[in-house]
Amino acid sequence: MKLKLVTLLLLIPSTMQALACEFHGGGFGMGSFGQFHPLAQQHMNNSAPVELKVTHDNRVKVTAATDAKLQLRYVVPDDYTNAEVILTPSKNLILADSSPLSLSKDKGLIDVTFQATGPGEHFIMVRIDATQSYRPYSKIQRVSVTAI
């Protein structure tokens, strides 16, 4: 009985050393190749979050007192909800529809009709509001309008 106990006590440190080498070598019992295992790389798979995008021309040239169009192109990723665009024109611009524009699909196009009442430099503020993973998201962009 004493011999078995002594043998057992002598074997414990050697098994601990074997486990320690395995854990220091990258884990998963593969020595230095363990770093290539998918479970060992899962913490490195943090891809950049996809952002809600609304794109348009930054500068638009129009003729005063005639209808003009601005095309908004948008992409709404899956983790965004309640996405809408609110357009705010400067003093001498009139929007055909001033209500908020809902971005209902994952991507699409919206044509905005507006008119400059007089010549000069004007602008349209484009505010994008949404909810991203239960947090509010907001972004403001500007379109410069030159009326001749």
Side-chain angles (χ1 to χ4, degrees), residues 15-142:
T15 58
M16 298 276 266
Q17 287 176 347
L19 286 175
C21 289
E22 179 179 330
F23 291 134
H24 283 100
F28 303 107
M30 294 184 248
S32 63
F33 294 106
Q35 63 185 340
F36 300 111
H37 192 278
L39 291 177
Q41 293 180 347
Q42 67 186 359
H43 68 283
M44 293 186 282
N45 289 340
N46 295 336
S47 59
V50 181
E51 190 174 340
L52 185 148
K53 286 185 184 178
V54 176
T55 57
H56 48 76
D57 294 334
N58 291 334
R59 298 181 94 38
V60 179
K61 216 175 233 191
V62 298
T63 304
T66 59
D67 284 348
K69 287 197 186 282
L70 173 69
Q71 189 175 68
L72 303 176
R73 297 167 295 282
Y74 66 89
V75 176
V76 181
D78 291 336
D79 58 336
Y80 288 84
T81 57
N82 303 325
E84 68 179 9
V85 173
I86 300 169
L87 302 172
T88 307
S90 62
K91 184 178 176 184
N92 293 327
L93 284 180
I94 300 170
L95 295 175
D97 184 11
S98 61
S99 61
L101 307 169
S102 179
L103 308 180
S104 57
K105 299 180 189 177
D106 55 348
K107 64 180 175 177
L109 299 170
I110 298 175
D111 287 325
V112 177
T113 305
F114 66 95
Q115 190 178 98
T117 58
E121 292 292 323
H122 313 290
F123 64 87
I124 300 172
M125 297 303 289
V126 180
R127 190 174 100 200
I128 303 126
D129 291 328
T131 305
Q132 177 192 17
S133 302
Y134 304 105
R135 292 185 312 248
Y137 171 87
S138 188
K139 186 175 185 180
I140 297 176
Q141 300 173 348
R142 181 182 168 121

